[in-house]
Amino acid sequence: MAFVPANSLRFHVQRLPATAGAAGPARPVVVFLHGLVVDNLSSFYCPLAVPVARAGHEAVLYDLRGHGRTERPATGYDSRTAVRDLVSLLGALDLGHRPVHLVGNSYGGTLALHAALDRPDLVAGLTLLEPPLSGAWVEKMVDTLSAAALSLEDSPVPAELLTLRLRKAANLTSIADALLNRTSLIDDIAASRTFTAADFARLDVPTQIVCGEHSELVAGATELARHAPRTAIEVLPGLGHDVLKENSGVLRETVLAHLEATAADAARTARVPRAGALVR
């Protein structure tokens, strides 16, 4: 666990080394991107990061800008800045010399896809868990975050939670209040870039999408899979949006199988790194 300077911020980072003797040049480092506001790197630790490291891949987890224990500037919560944060962090960790595999949950999946399109030279593969991919999601999320911001403004809830010795809940509530009421996060989400069919068609890395059967995000995931020939989608029965928490056993098997297939593909094709523009 460390604090790493990147893109003028200090990021909270945790690295899990691959099991001794299992790592190799064909096994990309796996970088995890978590969801918005109340999420942080810890959500990946037991369900996926530890199993991934035991399977022979180095795992890197970090708190996104403003989340968890990473610094919380007033601005910079748009996807372009998030990609720059990631690229700068990979460089700071000496991981910018070969492509990594990105695992993104919820909004982290959206950022992972942006990174793969903006910097294809740095991405070997994608695993997207319940990724929001449509403009309709942006509108709904902005409404949800705005309502949450109003409910948290000057709220006594964090102090009451501390009184009840619910320190973790109090901390998450305080972080949510700070992000929603004292940063540009909501405005940045409202101005988010939306994906087009042409964007999806440009995606040229092995991509696995996992969605819950009852999730409203299945339609967007299906659209991505329709346009991107190297993309597969798996729908888990009986689940909604929170596949990471609700069915971690099946999800773990799916993610590990995709990582192995991606490593085998990299070994066969010996891809040549391609130049990529930083932003679209």
Side-chain angles (χ1 to χ4, degrees):
M1 189 178 299
F3 290 93
V4 178
N7 204 19
S8 301
L9 292 182
R10 290 173 70 247
F11 284 85
H12 178 222
V13 180
Q14 188 156 9
R15 298 180 74 165
L16 301 179
T19 301
R27 291 177 176 268
V29 174
V30 180
V31 181
F32 293 87
L33 305 174
H34 63 74
L36 275 175
V37 184
V38 294
D39 206 359
N40 56 57
L41 65 80
S42 67
S43 63
F44 284 117
Y45 190 84
C46 290
L48 288 179
V50 170
V52 162
R54 288 176 178 169
H57 299 264
E58 181 181 356
V60 174
L61 308 91
Y62 72 101
D63 288 332
L64 297 175
R65 168 182 294 249
H67 293 71
R69 299 175 67 188
T70 289
E71 283 189 280
R72 188 174 305 115
T75 60
Y77 296 88
D78 57 285
S79 60
R80 285 187 173 90
T81 304
V83 172
R84 293 189 183 102
D85 288 345
L86 171 62
V87 172
S88 181
L89 185 60
L90 292 177
L93 295 172
D94 196 27
L95 295 175
H97 57 284
R98 63 187 178 94
V100 299
H101 189 105
L102 300 179
V103 177
N105 180 50
S106 192
Y107 186 64
T110 303
L111 297 181
L113 181 55
H114 277 303
L117 294 173
D118 290 354
R119 291 299 304 265
D121 56 311
L122 294 181
V123 179
L126 295 175
T127 301
L128 309 178
L129 314 177
E130 282 285 313
L133 303 176
S134 69
W137 174 88
V138 172
E139 295 177 7
K140 182 175 181 179
M141 182 53 60
V142 168
D143 289 344
T144 300
L145 294 177
S146 298
L150 286 173
S151 70
L152 288 170
E153 192 170 16
D154 300 322
S155 171
V157 170
E160 291 172 357
L161 290 171
L162 282 176
T163 301
L164 296 171
R165 298 184 179 180
L166 299 173
R167 186 175 300 274
K168 182 177 180 179
N171 184 52
L172 288 175
T173 304
S174 295
I175 290 173
D177 179 29
L179 275 169
L180 297 176
N181 286 310
R182 287 183 285 282
T183 76
S184 64
L185 184 141
I186 294 177
D187 289 339
D188 290 346
I189 296 297
S192 293
R193 295 179 286 169
T194 55
F195 298 109
T196 66
D199 291 327
F200 293 158
R202 289 194 296 114
L203 183 64
D204 189 30
V205 295
T207 300
Q208 174 78 59
I209 310 173
V210 182
C211 288
E213 175 188 13
H214 303 301
S215 170
E216 62 184 350
L217 302 178
V218 173
T222 303
E223 183 72 4
L224 170 57
R226 187 167 71 87
H227 291 283
R230 303 179 71 187
T231 297
I233 180 171
E234 179 165 349
V235 177
L236 301 183
L239 297 182
H241 182 60
D242 207 355
V243 298
L244 182 60
K245 291 182 179 178
E246 296 301 323
N247 204 338
S248 57
V250 172
L251 180 62
R252 180 172 60 249
E253 294 174 3
T254 299
V255 171
L256 292 178
H258 180 54
L259 286 173
E260 289 302 312
T262 302
D265 180 70
R268 283 194 307 268
T269 60
R271 308 179 52 142
V272 177
R274 296 165 296 167
L278 182 60
V279 296
R280 295 188 269 137

